[in-house]
mmCIF file of all heavy atoms in Angstrom:
data_model
loop_
_atom_site.group_PDB
_atom_site.id
_atom_site.type_symbol
_atom_site.label_atom_id
_atom_site.label_comp_id
_atom_site.label_asym_id
_atom_site.label_seq_id
_atom_site.Cartn_x
_atom_site.Cartn_y
_atom_site.Cartn_z
ATOM 1 N N MET A 1060 -3.239 -15.175 16.529
ATOM 2 C CA MET A 1060 -4.493 -14.532 16.876
ATOM 3 C C MET A 1060 -5.542 -14.879 15.819
ATOM 4 O O MET A 1060 -5.218 -15.445 14.774
ATOM 5 C CB MET A 1060 -4.286 -13.012 16.964
ATOM 6 C CG MET A 1060 -3.274 -12.594 18.011
ATOM 7 S SD MET A 1060 -3.212 -10.794 18.232
ATOM 8 C CE MET A 1060 -2.712 -10.275 16.599
ATOM 9 N N PRO A 1061 -6.805 -14.558 16.068
ATOM 10 C CA PRO A 1061 -7.834 -14.819 15.044
ATOM 11 C C PRO A 1061 -7.695 -13.880 13.849
ATOM 12 O O PRO A 1061 -8.516 -13.002 13.602
ATOM 13 C CB PRO A 1061 -9.147 -14.592 15.806
ATOM 14 C CG PRO A 1061 -8.794 -13.697 16.936
ATOM 15 C CD PRO A 1061 -7.393 -14.058 17.332
ATOM 16 N N LEU A 1062 -6.617 -14.058 13.108
ATOM 17 C CA LEU A 1062 -6.310 -13.228 11.952
ATOM 18 C C LEU A 1062 -5.955 -14.145 10.799
ATOM 19 O O LEU A 1062 -4.993 -14.914 10.884
ATOM 20 C CB LEU A 1062 -5.141 -12.287 12.259
ATOM 21 C CG LEU A 1062 -4.699 -11.338 11.139
ATOM 22 C CD1 LEU A 1062 -5.757 -10.273 10.883
ATOM 23 C CD2 LEU A 1062 -3.365 -10.692 11.492
ATOM 24 N N GLY A 1063 -6.746 -14.108 9.741
ATOM 25 C CA GLY A 1063 -6.490 -14.960 8.600
ATOM 26 C C GLY A 1063 -5.343 -14.449 7.751
ATOM 27 O O GLY A 1063 -4.957 -13.281 7.813
ATOM 28 N N LYS A 1064 -4.786 -15.359 6.930
ATOM 29 C CA LYS A 1064 -3.708 -14.957 6.037
ATOM 30 C C LYS A 1064 -4.195 -13.930 5.018
ATOM 31 O O LYS A 1064 -3.459 -13.022 4.638
ATOM 32 C CB LYS A 1064 -3.136 -16.182 5.320
ATOM 33 C CG LYS A 1064 -2.408 -17.146 6.229
ATOM 34 C CD LYS A 1064 -1.818 -18.301 5.440
ATOM 35 C CE LYS A 1064 -1.040 -19.247 6.323
ATOM 36 N NZ LYS A 1064 -0.452 -20.378 5.558
ATOM 37 N N GLY A 1065 -5.453 -14.087 4.578
ATOM 38 C CA GLY A 1065 -6.006 -13.120 3.640
ATOM 39 C C GLY A 1065 -6.111 -11.728 4.242
ATOM 40 O O GLY A 1065 -5.834 -10.723 3.581
ATOM 41 N N ASP A 1066 -6.509 -11.655 5.528
ATOM 42 C CA ASP A 1066 -6.572 -10.358 6.211
ATOM 43 C C ASP A 1066 -5.184 -9.732 6.301
ATOM 44 O O ASP A 1066 -5.028 -8.519 6.123
ATOM 45 C CB ASP A 1066 -7.148 -10.534 7.621
ATOM 46 C CG ASP A 1066 -8.579 -11.032 7.598
ATOM 47 O OD1 ASP A 1066 -9.338 -10.578 6.727
ATOM 48 O OD2 ASP A 1066 -8.928 -11.884 8.433
ATOM 49 N N LEU A 1067 -4.180 -10.563 6.595
ATOM 50 C CA LEU A 1067 -2.826 -10.041 6.742
ATOM 51 C C LEU A 1067 -2.293 -9.512 5.412
ATOM 52 O O LEU A 1067 -1.765 -8.396 5.335
ATOM 53 C CB LEU A 1067 -1.917 -11.136 7.285
ATOM 54 C CG LEU A 1067 -0.503 -10.717 7.660
ATOM 55 C CD1 LEU A 1067 -0.529 -9.750 8.830
ATOM 56 C CD2 LEU A 1067 0.342 -11.927 8.013
ATOM 57 N N ILE A 1068 -2.452 -10.290 4.341
ATOM 58 C CA ILE A 1068 -1.960 -9.869 3.035
ATOM 59 C C ILE A 1068 -2.723 -8.641 2.550
ATOM 60 O O ILE A 1068 -2.134 -7.694 2.004
ATOM 61 C CB ILE A 1068 -2.075 -11.028 2.036
ATOM 62 C CG1 ILE A 1068 -1.087 -12.134 2.391
ATOM 63 C CG2 ILE A 1068 -1.831 -10.541 0.618
ATOM 64 C CD1 ILE A 1068 0.358 -11.739 2.245
ATOM 65 N N ALA A 1069 -4.043 -8.640 2.743
ATOM 66 C CA ALA A 1069 -4.837 -7.485 2.320
ATOM 67 C C ALA A 1069 -4.464 -6.235 3.111
ATOM 68 O O ALA A 1069 -4.447 -5.122 2.567
ATOM 69 C CB ALA A 1069 -6.332 -7.786 2.481
ATOM 70 N N GLY A 1070 -4.155 -6.396 4.407
ATOM 71 C CA GLY A 1070 -3.730 -5.252 5.204
ATOM 72 C C GLY A 1070 -2.407 -4.679 4.731
ATOM 73 O O GLY A 1070 -2.240 -3.454 4.636
ATOM 74 N N TYR A 1071 -1.460 -5.564 4.414
ATOM 75 C CA TYR A 1071 -0.179 -5.099 3.867
ATOM 76 C C TYR A 1071 -0.389 -4.399 2.522
ATOM 77 O O TYR A 1071 0.210 -3.348 2.255
ATOM 78 C CB TYR A 1071 0.775 -6.273 3.698
ATOM 79 C CG TYR A 1071 1.574 -6.599 4.926
ATOM 80 C CD1 TYR A 1071 1.135 -7.544 5.848
ATOM 81 C CD2 TYR A 1071 2.779 -5.961 5.190
ATOM 82 C CE1 TYR A 1071 1.868 -7.850 6.978
ATOM 83 C CE2 TYR A 1071 3.519 -6.255 6.318
ATOM 84 C CZ TYR A 1071 3.064 -7.199 7.200
ATOM 85 O OH TYR A 1071 3.790 -7.489 8.327
ATOM 86 N N ALA A 1072 -1.217 -4.999 1.666
ATOM 87 C CA ALA A 1072 -1.462 -4.389 0.358
ATOM 88 C C ALA A 1072 -2.139 -3.035 0.506
ATOM 89 O O ALA A 1072 -1.834 -2.085 -0.240
ATOM 90 C CB ALA A 1072 -2.324 -5.326 -0.491
ATOM 91 N N LEU A 1073 -3.045 -2.915 1.476
ATOM 92 C CA LEU A 1073 -3.721 -1.634 1.685
ATOM 93 C C LEU A 1073 -2.750 -0.568 2.183
ATOM 94 O O LEU A 1073 -2.776 0.587 1.732
ATOM 95 C CB LEU A 1073 -4.864 -1.823 2.686
ATOM 96 C CG LEU A 1073 -5.751 -0.610 2.969
ATOM 97 C CD1 LEU A 1073 -6.445 -0.154 1.689
ATOM 98 C CD2 LEU A 1073 -6.792 -0.946 4.040
ATOM 99 N N ALA A 1074 -1.874 -0.955 3.109
ATOM 100 C CA ALA A 1074 -0.910 0.013 3.651
ATOM 101 C C ALA A 1074 0.080 0.469 2.585
ATOM 102 O O ALA A 1074 0.289 1.674 2.373
ATOM 103 C CB ALA A 1074 -0.177 -0.599 4.838
ATOM 104 N N PHE A 1075 0.686 -0.478 1.897
ATOM 105 C CA PHE A 1075 1.649 -0.103 0.860
ATOM 106 C C PHE A 1075 0.959 0.499 -0.359
ATOM 107 O O PHE A 1075 1.561 1.291 -1.083
ATOM 108 C CB PHE A 1075 2.471 -1.324 0.449
ATOM 109 C CG PHE A 1075 3.482 -1.746 1.466
ATOM 110 C CD1 PHE A 1075 3.295 -2.889 2.224
ATOM 111 C CD2 PHE A 1075 4.624 -0.986 1.685
ATOM 112 C CE1 PHE A 1075 4.228 -3.275 3.170
ATOM 113 C CE2 PHE A 1075 5.561 -1.357 2.633
ATOM 114 C CZ PHE A 1075 5.360 -2.510 3.376
ATOM 115 N N GLY A 1076 -0.307 0.134 -0.578
ATOM 116 C CA GLY A 1076 -1.054 0.779 -1.653
ATOM 117 C C GLY A 1076 -1.305 2.248 -1.379
ATOM 118 O O GLY A 1076 -1.276 3.082 -2.304
ATOM 119 N N ALA A 1077 -1.546 2.593 -0.109
ATOM 120 C CA ALA A 1077 -1.703 4.005 0.236
ATOM 121 C C ALA A 1077 -0.426 4.789 -0.037
ATOM 122 O O ALA A 1077 -0.458 5.922 -0.549
ATOM 123 C CB ALA A 1077 -2.110 4.136 1.701
ATOM 124 N N LEU A 1078 0.716 4.176 0.292
ATOM 125 C CA LEU A 1078 1.982 4.838 -0.030
ATOM 126 C C LEU A 1078 2.217 4.881 -1.539
ATOM 127 O O LEU A 1078 2.825 5.827 -2.043
ATOM 128 C CB LEU A 1078 3.136 4.103 0.652
ATOM 129 C CG LEU A 1078 3.170 4.186 2.180
ATOM 130 C CD1 LEU A 1078 4.280 3.300 2.732
ATOM 131 C CD2 LEU A 1078 3.360 5.618 2.642
ATOM 132 N N ALA A 1079 1.731 3.864 -2.253
ATOM 133 C CA ALA A 1079 1.879 3.859 -3.707
ATOM 134 C C ALA A 1079 1.097 4.998 -4.351
ATOM 135 O O ALA A 1079 1.523 5.554 -5.372
ATOM 136 C CB ALA A 1079 1.418 2.522 -4.273
ATOM 137 N N VAL A 1080 -0.046 5.346 -3.769
ATOM 138 C CA VAL A 1080 -0.821 6.485 -4.295
ATOM 139 C C VAL A 1080 -0.005 7.771 -4.182
ATOM 140 O O VAL A 1080 0.083 8.568 -5.130
ATOM 141 C CB VAL A 1080 -2.158 6.602 -3.537
ATOM 142 C CG1 VAL A 1080 -2.874 7.889 -3.920
ATOM 143 C CG2 VAL A 1080 -3.048 5.402 -3.846
ATOM 144 N N VAL A 1081 0.592 7.975 -3.009
ATOM 145 C CA VAL A 1081 1.415 9.175 -2.816
ATOM 146 C C VAL A 1081 2.613 9.158 -3.751
ATOM 147 O O VAL A 1081 2.965 10.176 -4.383
ATOM 148 C CB VAL A 1081 1.862 9.265 -1.340
ATOM 149 C CG1 VAL A 1081 2.742 10.490 -1.120
ATOM 150 C CG2 VAL A 1081 0.656 9.304 -0.416
ATOM 151 N N GLN A 1082 3.264 8.005 -3.844
ATOM 152 C CA GLN A 1082 4.434 7.874 -4.703
ATOM 153 C C GLN A 1082 4.090 8.149 -6.162
ATOM 154 O O GLN A 1082 4.781 8.929 -6.849
ATOM 155 C CB GLN A 1082 5.006 6.470 -4.571
ATOM 156 C CG GLN A 1082 6.206 6.176 -5.445
ATOM 157 C CD GLN A 1082 6.466 4.684 -5.530
ATOM 158 O OE1 GLN A 1082 5.713 3.956 -6.166
ATOM 159 N NE2 GLN A 1082 7.530 4.241 -4.885
ATOM 160 N N SER A 1083 3.022 7.556 -6.667
ATOM 161 C CA SER A 1083 2.642 7.728 -8.073
ATOM 162 C C SER A 1083 2.204 9.158 -8.357
ATOM 163 O O SER A 1083 2.501 9.710 -9.428
ATOM 164 C CB SER A 1083 1.521 6.754 -8.427
ATOM 165 O OG SER A 1083 1.915 5.419 -8.191
ATOM 166 N N ALA A 1084 1.495 9.766 -7.418
ATOM 167 C CA ALA A 1084 1.043 11.138 -7.623
ATOM 168 C C ALA A 1084 2.228 12.103 -7.702
ATOM 169 O O ALA A 1084 2.272 12.988 -8.566
ATOM 170 C CB ALA A 1084 0.096 11.546 -6.494
ATOM 171 N N LEU A 1085 3.194 11.930 -6.801
ATOM 172 C CA LEU A 1085 4.365 12.808 -6.829
ATOM 173 C C LEU A 1085 5.191 12.603 -8.103
ATOM 174 O O LEU A 1085 5.624 13.575 -8.741
ATOM 175 C CB LEU A 1085 5.236 12.559 -5.597
ATOM 176 C CG LEU A 1085 4.675 13.047 -4.259
ATOM 177 C CD1 LEU A 1085 5.602 12.650 -3.116
ATOM 178 C CD2 LEU A 1085 4.464 14.545 -4.279
ATOM 179 N N ALA A 1086 5.405 11.344 -8.495
ATOM 180 C CA ALA A 1086 6.209 11.071 -9.684
ATOM 181 C C ALA A 1086 5.515 11.571 -10.951
ATOM 182 O O ALA A 1086 6.165 12.156 -11.834
ATOM 183 C CB ALA A 1086 6.495 9.575 -9.783
ATOM 184 N N THR A 1087 4.211 11.374 -11.056
ATOM 185 C CA THR A 1087 3.480 11.841 -12.239
ATOM 186 C C THR A 1087 3.458 13.362 -12.307
ATOM 187 O O THR A 1087 3.665 13.954 -13.379
ATOM 188 C CB THR A 1087 2.045 11.292 -12.216
ATOM 189 O OG1 THR A 1087 2.088 9.852 -12.142
ATOM 190 C CG2 THR A 1087 1.290 11.694 -13.474
ATOM 191 N N GLY A 1088 3.190 13.994 -11.178
ATOM 192 C CA GLY A 1088 3.195 15.459 -11.171
ATOM 193 C C GLY A 1088 4.553 16.032 -11.511
ATOM 194 O O GLY A 1088 4.655 17.028 -12.251
ATOM 195 N N LEU A 1089 5.620 15.410 -11.006
ATOM 196 C CA LEU A 1089 6.971 15.882 -11.319
ATOM 197 C C LEU A 1089 7.276 15.721 -12.803
ATOM 198 O O LEU A 1089 7.825 16.645 -13.438
ATOM 199 C CB LEU A 1089 7.990 15.110 -10.486
ATOM 200 C CG LEU A 1089 9.465 15.408 -10.769
ATOM 201 C CD1 LEU A 1089 9.823 16.823 -10.330
ATOM 202 C CD2 LEU A 1089 10.359 14.387 -10.069
ATOM 203 N N ALA A 1090 6.923 14.561 -13.369
ATOM 204 C CA ALA A 1090 7.255 14.296 -14.767
ATOM 205 C C ALA A 1090 6.462 15.178 -15.727
ATOM 206 O O ALA A 1090 7.007 15.690 -16.720
ATOM 207 C CB ALA A 1090 7.018 12.825 -15.090
ATOM 208 N N VAL A 1091 5.192 15.390 -15.453
ATOM 209 C CA VAL A 1091 4.325 16.100 -16.407
ATOM 210 C C VAL A 1091 4.439 17.609 -16.244
ATOM 211 O O VAL A 1091 4.602 18.352 -17.223
ATOM 212 C CB VAL A 1091 2.865 15.623 -16.236
ATOM 213 C CG1 VAL A 1091 1.918 16.449 -17.106
ATOM 214 C CG2 VAL A 1091 2.748 14.150 -16.582
#
C-alpha cells in the first residue's frame, strides 16, 4: 500500500513507546 518504511517504523515506535510510558511509570512508582 502507499505506506513508507519510515511510516511503518515510526508507527511501531509510537505504539510501543506508548506502552513504554505505562511500563516506566509503573516501575518507577513501584521502586520509589
Side-chain angles (χ1 to χ4, degrees):
M1060 299 187 299
L1062 180 69
K1064 293 183 178 180
D1066 296 321
L1067 187 65
I1068 291 294
Y1071 273 93
L1073 184 61
F1075 287 107
L1078 292 174
V1080 171
V1081 179
Q1082 178 195 72
S1083 302
L1085 289 176
T1087 303
L1089 176 68
V1091 174

